[in-house]
Amino acid sequence: FACERIVSDGREDSELCPWPLEGPLDLVVPELFQEEVSEPIRVSSDDVQRHTTQWIRDSLPLALLTSKRDERILLGVRETLEQAQVFRLIGLLSHLLYWLALGINRPLNQQSLTETGLSVLFTSVHEIWSGFEKENRDSPVGVSLVLPTLLLTVKHGIERCFEAQYPSMMAVKEGRQQVVERINTLTMRLFDPDCTFARFGKLDGTGQAISLMKRLDIYMASTLGFTKAKRLCGLAHRSTPLVRAALGAVDVGATWAGGAAGCSDYRTRAMLVHSDVWGAPPAASVAPPPKSEGQQILLRAALSRLASAPPVPGQIGRAQTTPGGQRPKRGESPCPSGVSARSSKRSGIAPGTATPRLPALPARTSSARGQRLEGSRPRSVA
């Protein structure tokens, strides 16, 4: 599941195949396999659960993906990977990938998945993934180990579903490679536009990884025009795929629909436009933006994650109290002396000395929270 592939067997040469940010995922197979791939995925949920659980317990090299040696942490990661929602996510993504990649090989007289069906799948996978991010994104172990391992497990599960359903096509090296590349591309466009969870911190410090990152920087700057400075600028304004999907954002540069299908506030539209430039997949690169009920589901998921986020230090609206347990008056410091012991050392003011009151800050309106809900800072919303 890497963007680097070996040119040929027996040689050390490799080539980069970065995952495309946009464009169709259609995979036209040779005529020999068209009858086999004309049938959609029919792997049962029990088979997905059995094989994925066996792979997690027997084959996943979890101890090699982290420097942590606390058995409780590793056990907690494995328990997360064996949740029922993981198996459901694998099944839904397998169906979604089939219709996006192999559905083109079905005869014209056979029924295909409608746009509404694609939106339902799109909404369901986002809802499940947002639940895992809600639980793990605010902890160092969750970001550096749990979510990357979860994404790797999901990718392996999708590949296994295609192996079970289409053994002849997956037995051919080129066919398998094409499917794997589309698995990488689909998960990147849906959940991880900046490939934050497609890597492990322990492996990023190796010489091979550093060399690969340099090659990727050169490729993206020369071929796509995405220099490192431009990508960092886009990353600073990035909103999460969940927020963009919930708001029903359309492609960058296109007309923004008002009401339920888009953002009515021009400041929100400006933030999302800056979020989508320099290295982010377009909002509709996988499926059309969900409408009405699907959009409400995604919005509730975004609000749930916002409500569970820990308070930001110094956040406007937090109730500060004095040592006596009372809330300070407007323009008054929570510290009785008006200065903390730490600041008194820097300023030369002795603790307990009265200081002039600072002018009260103007009250902020409730529109600030509404802006956060519509895709301001990525870490606050998602």
Side-chain angles (χ1 to χ4, degrees), residues 54-73:
Q54 182 180 359
W55 181 79
I56 293 171
R57 296 177 179 178
D58 301 338
S59 303
L60 177 62
L62 191 57
L64 302 180
L65 303 178
T66 179
S67 300
K68 300 183 181 297
R69 291 295 176 261
D70 191 338
E71 289 296 330
R72 293 175 298 178
I73 294 179

Side-chain angles (χ1 to χ4, degrees), residues 129-192:
W129 179 260
S130 68
F132 286 112
E133 279 196 325
K134 174 183 175 181
E135 297 174 358
N136 298 286
R137 191 163 181 173
D138 293 322
S139 67
V141 174
V143 173
S144 63
L145 183 60
V146 178
L147 290 177
T149 308
L150 174 62
L151 192 62
L152 179 63
T153 303
V154 168
K155 290 181 178 181
H156 172 80
I158 299 172
E159 182 188 18
R160 171 59 186 171
C161 289
F162 275 76
E163 284 180 353
Q165 184 71 33
Y166 313 113
S168 300
M169 182 192 70
M170 296 295 287
V172 179
K173 181 179 179 180
E174 183 63 25
R176 173 185 291 271
Q177 185 64 47
Q178 293 289 337
V179 171
V180 168
E181 289 181 1
R182 281 157 177 79
I183 294 174
N184 290 325
T185 302
L186 179 65
T187 54
M188 176 197 68
R189 294 182 183 181
L190 284 173
F191 312 131
D192 192 23

Side-chain angles (χ1 to χ4, degrees), residues 191-306:
F191 312 131
D192 192 23
D194 297 296
C195 296
T196 305
F197 305 132
R199 62 184 67 192
F200 292 91
K202 180 180 179 180
L203 307 180
D204 276 350
T206 62
Q208 184 180 3
I210 295 173
S211 175
L212 177 60
M213 289 302 300
K214 290 181 178 179
R215 292 171 58 194
L216 275 173
D217 287 340
I218 294 174
Y219 175 88
M220 296 186 71
S222 60
T223 305
L224 305 176
F226 296 157
T227 62
K228 190 172 184 179
K230 290 179 179 178
R231 297 201 309 272
L232 289 176
C233 180
L235 184 61
H237 298 87
R238 186 83 75 238
S239 61
T240 63
L242 174 62
V243 171
R244 293 158 70 232
L247 296 178
V250 296
D251 202 352
V252 175
T255 302
W256 292 80
C263 308
S264 58
D265 193 286
Y266 72 94
R267 291 166 295 185
T268 304
R269 295 198 297 268
M271 283 189 290
L272 290 177
V273 167
H274 284 94
S275 168
D276 286 349
V277 299
W278 308 124
S285 59
V286 174
K291 306 293 183 180
S292 73
E293 184 178 353
Q295 194 176 30
Q296 294 175 14
I297 293 174
L298 295 179
L299 183 58
R300 284 197 296 269
L303 291 173
S304 174
R305 288 189 40 189
L306 180 62

Side-chain angles (χ1 to χ4, degrees), residues 94-110:
S94 299
H95 282 283
L96 181 59
L97 182 61
Y98 170 82
W99 291 108
L100 293 175
L102 298 180
I104 194 175
N105 298 283
R106 291 170 60 85
L108 296 177
N109 59 349
Q110 291 189 6

